[in-house]
Amino acid sequence: MSMKNRGGQPVVVAASGGGSPSQAAASKKSLSANIAKFRELGLLAFILILAVGVQIRNSSFLTWENINDIATNTAILSILAVGMMLVIITRGIDLSIGATLALAGMTAALTVKEYPGLNPLVAVLLGVGVGVVCGAVLGFLVSKINILPIIATLGMMNVFRGLTYEMSGGKWVSAHQMPDSFKAIATGKVLGLNNLILIAIVIYIVAYYFVNHTRTGRQIYAVGSNPDSAEVSGIKSGRILWLVYTVMGGLSGLAGVLWVAKFASAQGDTASGYELSVIAACVLGGVSIAGGSGKISGIILGSVLLGILNNALPMINVSPFWQNFIQGMIILIAVLINAMVKRGIDRNNLMRRRI
């Protein structure tokens, strides 16, 4: 509100009862962090309740063997969720990750088929390289040509899928055509921990450090929160967009090699529609489709919840049709909660504005 001092000059005071701008900003940040923490605790509580409920119906659910299966089957999804989180934070979307995964996996599978003695690490690097190229192309289309992400990724999804079919001649690469050393990428263990789980843990540690403790990580959030302000402050939004799509492509390429090694099969339609599950994991984990918001801990919980649902519903004899219904309803509820949380934060920030 506006007041006048003894000299007749107007004085502006905060509508919230005073306080410096830095205090107001700190208060907003604290409120957002508390809400995000509460949302994650709620998601964790839901996961625990769900696990206990399924265990009551089927006593084999919480066995070590089944928990290990859930973690292994969720590893690839969780790896892709890291890249998708970065893309969504910048207000983008990537619908091509399933096709990129298939292209990278097919490339690696055909290579080890022709060269059985090839070091598995070379096959992994080859798949990652294919994914990086695909992601870089998408990043160029979005950041330089200014094509809407949904259009660019939808178009390139068909391009990558077509390349996969053309490369393979429409044929499969089956288990007996792959060397055991290649399949061991996904089936091997280190200190009793499956390689897929270990790789996912390493990626999450690196991603956590990147988004929380590097300048580029903070810039990604800035671009997603307010692209115009980010540009004014000197952030190269184009470079950030190119980076996140390239990272997404690289992770998709890695996931492609892991997928083919895990299932010992490379097909033209590998992971068709899998991008929807990845997006669902991000949404469940609290990543805002509007951009600027998302946490590593959140997408871990979102991936775990999807993994548990995929494993638990068949164990309690839920019809496949109802499985899709239940998963869809849970995702819809998560979106509604995120929308209400964002509305609450915006309303609180508006009330705290200095007027």
Side-chain angles (χ1 to χ4, degrees):
M1 68 178 60
S2 178
M3 301 178 61
K4 291 186 179 181
N5 60 15
R6 294 180 180 179
Q9 298 298 323
V11 178
V12 178
V13 298
S16 58
S20 67
S22 59
Q23 291 175 331
S27 178
K28 296 175 187 177
K29 183 176 180 180
S30 177
L31 175 67
S32 301
N34 289 335
I35 292 177
K37 185 181 296 184
F38 176 79
R39 180 171 52 201
E40 290 177 12
L41 289 175
L43 183 56
L44 178 59
F46 178 77
I47 290 173
L48 294 176
I49 293 172
L50 176 63
V52 172
V54 175
Q55 176 66 16
I56 293 174
R57 292 286 304 275
N58 191 325
S59 60
S60 62
F61 177 70
L62 290 180
T63 61
W64 171 250
E65 182 181 359
N66 191 58
I67 292 174
N68 186 64
D69 286 343
I70 293 175
T72 303
N73 294 331
T74 307
I76 294 177
L77 173 68
S78 63
I79 290 171
L80 291 170
V82 172
M84 186 63 78
M85 184 193 79
L86 298 178
V87 170
I88 295 178
I89 285 175
T90 61
R91 303 188 180 188
I93 200 77
D94 191 347
L95 301 178
S96 69
I97 59 175
T100 302
L101 185 157
L103 179 59
M106 182 63 74
T107 302
L110 290 174
T111 301
V112 297
K113 174 187 174 183
E114 291 296 323
Y115 306 97
L118 188 69
N119 190 307
L121 180 59
V122 176
V124 172
L125 294 176
L126 178 62
V128 173
V130 171
V132 166
V133 171
C134 293
V137 171
L138 281 171
F140 177 80
L141 294 176
V142 173
S143 63
K144 301 299 182 182
I145 310 300
N146 294 324
I147 300 177
L148 289 176
I150 191 171
I151 301 300
T153 59
L154 186 62
M156 294 309 296
M157 174 185 70
N158 293 309
V159 172
F160 298 153
R161 189 69 70 177
L163 287 175
T164 304
Y165 280 109
E166 180 65 27
M167 178 186 299
S168 63
K171 299 179 180 179
W172 296 9
V173 179
S174 56
H176 74 274
Q177 296 173 302
M178 302 178 189
D180 292 337
S181 59
F182 176 74
K183 290 181 284 188
I185 295 174
T187 59
K189 295 182 179 180
V190 176
L191 299 176
L193 199 63
N194 183 275
N195 289 345
L196 291 178
I197 301 175
L198 182 63
I199 292 171
I201 291 174
V202 170
I203 288 176
Y204 269 99
I205 292 174
V206 173
Y208 178 83
Y209 177 81
F210 173 71
V211 299
N212 290 288
H213 299 287
T214 68
R215 182 179 180 183
T216 303
R218 292 190 293 271
Q219 289 177 342
I220 291 173
Y221 284 93
V223 169
S225 298
N226 194 321
D228 295 332
S229 296
E231 283 285 352
V232 171
S233 64
I235 297 175
K236 302 295 183 182
S237 297
R239 293 182 182 179
I240 294 298
L241 292 176
W242 178 84
L243 173 65
V244 296
Y245 283 97
T246 301
V247 170
M248 179 76 263
L251 292 175
S252 299
L254 172 62
V257 178
L258 299 179
W259 183 295
V260 171
K262 180 178 187 298
F263 296 104
S265 175
Q267 308 168 27
D269 61 349
T270 294
S272 180
Y274 198 62
E275 55 276 353
L276 299 182
S277 296
V278 178
I279 294 171
C282 292
V283 172
L284 287 172
V287 181
S288 174
I289 296 296
S293 176
K295 295 177 64 178
I296 293 295
S297 55
I299 61 173
I300 292 176
L301 292 174
S303 300
V304 169
L305 177 56
L306 277 186
I308 290 177
L309 288 173
N310 290 330
N311 179 273
L313 296 180
M315 291 186 70
I316 57 177
N317 299 319
V318 176
S319 165
F321 303 106
W322 281 108
Q323 291 177 29
N324 292 331
F325 174 82
I326 293 171
Q327 291 184 17
M329 288 302 299
I330 291 175
I331 293 170
L332 179 60
I333 291 172
V335 172
L336 291 175
I337 292 174
N338 287 343
M340 289 188 292
V341 168
K342 184 177 185 302
R343 184 180 302 173
I345 292 175
D346 291 342
R347 183 185 299 115
N348 185 273
N349 290 345
L350 182 62
M351 293 177 63
R352 290 171 176 271
R353 287 178 59 185
R354 295 171 64 84
I355 58 177

